[in-house]
Amino acid sequence: MTQGVSAGRRDQIFEVFTRHVAARGYDHANLSDIAGELGTSKGTIVHHFGVKAQLMRELEETYMRRQISALQAIWVQLTTPAERVASMIYASTLLHVVDRDATVATQREVLQLAQDPEMQDIRRLRRHCQSMVTDELKRGVATGAFRPVDVELGTLQIFGSLQWMWTWFDPDGPRTWDQVGAAFVDVMLGGLLADRFSLPQLVDREGRVVKAVREVFSAG
């Protein structure tokens, strides 16, 4: 019973910390404020996590592992480079709905603790996620599905655009996540595809790509 209560308190601390980072940024996420909101002590937070930086590390790692796991599950259903790259764009947009606070927190603090040696594993996870897209761009170029672009720069362009979505995309606003995703796919894949014949299927919000993304996140 005690272990269950302790685990529950730890989860609560983690959830409130994530929300505070999303709303205020890491530097202004104060452990005393978090403790006050939860009606506990700052010492309790330190007992569970140690320093504040450890909370950020866990937030980053948990989020990145979820994103990679989701992409892997989606890509089981989708086989072409175009479909896989499109699905990553849709998934990144949907995460603003299903995991809003963690998405905003990790995107706004992408450079936070960049020099921290304890963040090496998280940086490795970020590179792995990007390399998944780079590999699909390479495969698309090699098969002639994509134009012969610089795949490294192409990857940076895609992730760079998605990285700033937290600054303007409101899940409760006039555009739904799949509308935003489709608009990004239209521009990004429209520029990559050697033949745009498949583009209407990729931007179809009821098509197989969006369906695969929805299924994985509803299952998760």
Side-chain angles (χ1 to χ4, degrees):
M1 181 67 176
T2 302
Q3 288 182 344
V5 171
S6 179
R9 176 58 75 182
R10 194 180 196 280
D11 290 344
Q12 289 174 341
I13 293 168
F14 190 75
E15 179 182 347
V16 174
F17 171 78
T18 301
R19 176 158 46 80
H20 280 224
V21 174
R24 308 177 183 179
Y26 174 80
D27 289 338
H28 298 287
N30 188 288
L31 295 188
S32 296
D33 291 343
I34 294 169
E37 180 175 330
L38 290 170
T40 189
S41 68
K42 184 176 176 180
T44 299
I45 299 177
V46 173
H47 168 73
H48 283 292
F49 293 97
V51 296
K52 185 173 80 166
Q54 181 57 31
L55 273 156
M56 194 68 204
R57 293 172 195 138
E58 291 197 25
L59 168 57
E60 291 276 2
E61 181 173 359
T62 300
Y63 185 82
M64 288 309 305
R65 289 191 183 281
R66 180 184 187 188
Q67 188 174 22
I68 291 170
S69 177
L71 282 181
Q72 290 171 335
I74 292 166
W75 288 6
V76 168
Q77 303 181 50
L78 305 173
T79 57
T80 71
E83 287 178 329
R84 288 183 170 184
V85 174
S87 73
M88 189 281 295
I89 295 170
Y90 282 115
S92 296
T93 310
L94 180 54
L95 278 165
H96 279 270
V97 179
V98 300
D99 202 2
R100 174 70 177 173
D101 287 338
T103 299
V104 172
T106 57
Q107 287 190 354
R108 76 179 296 165
E109 298 296 341
V110 67
L111 297 179
Q112 182 65 46
L113 308 177
Q115 304 304 315
D116 183 351
E118 298 295 330
M119 291 286 279
Q120 289 183 9
D121 287 342
I122 290 91
R123 290 194 290 271
R124 196 156 33 241
L125 288 170
R126 285 186 178 275
R127 288 195 297 270
H128 175 64
C129 187
Q130 291 186 354
S131 70
M132 291 174 68
V133 173
T134 302
D135 289 346
E136 292 304 317
L137 294 182
K138 288 179 179 178
R139 191 161 69 96
V141 170
T143 60
F146 293 157
R147 295 186 303 106
V149 299
D150 184 323
V151 297
E152 301 292 342
L153 286 180
T155 301
L156 292 174
Q157 287 175 323
I158 292 171
F159 278 91
S161 296
L162 296 172
Q163 183 68 47
W164 286 97
M165 192 177 292
W166 72 272
T167 64
W168 57 266
F169 176 49
D170 178 4
D172 297 320
R175 297 181 180 89
T176 62
W177 71 269
D178 51 344
Q179 287 177 320
V180 171
F184 269 59
V185 169
D186 189 29
V187 172
M188 294 177 181
L189 271 297
L192 284 170
L193 288 167
D195 183 344
R196 298 188 182 184
F197 178 78
S198 63
L199 190 57
Q201 287 75 41
L202 298 175
V203 300
D204 182 1
R205 289 154 56 204
E206 300 300 325
R208 59 186 263 106
V209 175
V210 175
K211 181 180 179 182
V213 173
R214 282 197 180 103
E215 287 179 351
V216 165
F217 280 100
S218 63

